[in-house]
């Protein structure tokens, strides 16, 4: 695992938990590749995992369902890929995930999928956030969230996907859930 800090807040056990893991990812970059493999590896490990295309029933509103899934998850894995910061949706998910980390000890594992953590941390390269992307408050929150997530201990995907998936699954099951 790469980077520096981990969550030290004790989890709030009084809240409703529907999922062990919430996956945050940019669909166009990783849905049918890395994230799909990660999702199935977590399921095989016995971890009930939220992925937006599987857990939301047709006819339900997307935003409240995703927000509820984040709040009702014990942990999140954030797959930061080239186009992640191009999505207001992803940036809002990231901000809410980090708020849950602060409020109730929600575990967070960033995966830097073919991106440099320093680009995320400093908002350079594909992680530049244009001021016109949202309100002044939104842009400030998103930039802070990107910096915070890049400073967490995470996995920089620079090895084979299979080896990375095994390491992530092992980390999640032993460090987070003692499975």
């Amino acid at each position: 695992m790469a980077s520096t800090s981990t969550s030290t807040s004790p989890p709030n056990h009084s809240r409703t938990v529907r999922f062990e893991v919430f996956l945050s990812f940019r669909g166009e970059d990783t849905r049918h590749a890395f994230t799909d493999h990660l999702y199935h590896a977590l399921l095989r490990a016995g971890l009930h995992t939220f992925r937006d295309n599987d857990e939301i029933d047709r006819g339900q509103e997307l935003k409240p369902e995703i927000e509820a899934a984040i709040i009702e998850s014990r942990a999140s894995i954030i797959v930061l890929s080239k186009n992640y910061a191009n999505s207001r949706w992803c940036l809002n998910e990231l901000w809410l995930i980090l708020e849950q980390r602060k409020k109730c000890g929600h575990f967070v594992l960033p995966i830097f999928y073919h991106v440099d953590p320093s680009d995320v941390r400093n908002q350079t390269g594909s992680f530049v956030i244009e001021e016109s992307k949202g309100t002044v408050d939104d842009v400030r929150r998103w930039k802070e969230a990107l910096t915070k997530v890049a400073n967490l201990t995470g996995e920089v995907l620079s090895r084979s996907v299979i080896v990375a998936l095994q390491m992530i699954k092992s980390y999640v099951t032993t460090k987070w859930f003692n499975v």
Side-chain angles (χ1 to χ4, degrees), residues 51-112:
R51 179 176 65 169
D52 68 3
N53 58 326
D54 291 321
E55 299 296 336
I56 299 176
D57 295 328
R58 298 224 183 266
Q60 288 182 308
E61 287 188 49
L62 199 57
K63 186 175 180 182
E65 283 298 310
I66 287 185
E67 288 176 356
I70 291 169
I71 291 166
E72 296 172 357
S73 294
R74 292 179 61 196
S76 289
I77 297 176
I78 303 164
V79 181
L80 296 147
S81 58
K82 181 181 176 187
N83 292 302
Y84 189 91
N86 292 337
S87 166
R88 293 170 52 104
W89 194 274
C90 288
L91 293 168
N92 284 324
E93 279 182 11
L94 174 62
W95 178 82
L96 182 56
I97 289 166
L98 293 175
E99 282 297 297
Q100 288 302 111
R101 179 179 183 267
K102 184 170 59 177
K103 288 179 185 174
C104 60
H106 186 96
F107 294 105
V108 177
L109 177 64
I111 306 298
F112 300 93

Side-chain angles (χ1 to χ4, degrees), residues 3 8 11 15 18 20-21 33 55 71 73 82 88 93 114-115 117 119 123-124 141 148 150 159-160 173 177:
S3 215
T8 57
R15 65 189 176 97
R18 281 194 306 160
E20 277 82 30
V21 179
E55 299 296 336
I71 291 166
S73 294
K82 181 181 176 187
R88 293 170 52 104
E93 279 182 11
H114 302 297
V115 298
D119 284 343
Q123 290 91 60
T124 56
R141 282 186 310 117
K148 284 179 185 174
R159 62 189 99 220
S160 86
T173 56
F177 302 116

Side-chain angles (χ1 to χ4, degrees), residues 27-44:
E28 71 184 52
D29 288 348
T30 67
R31 180 183 307 278
H32 299 294
F34 178 76
T35 300
D36 191 51
H37 295 298
L38 176 58
Y39 175 74
H40 289 289
L42 294 169
L43 291 180
R44 283 191 302 275

Side-chain angles (χ1 to χ4, degrees), residues 9-25:
S9 304
N12 178 350
H13 296 290
S14 64
R15 65 189 176 97
T16 300
V17 175
R18 281 194 306 160
F19 303 99
E20 277 82 30
V21 179
F22 177 91
L23 288 177
S24 177
F25 60 97

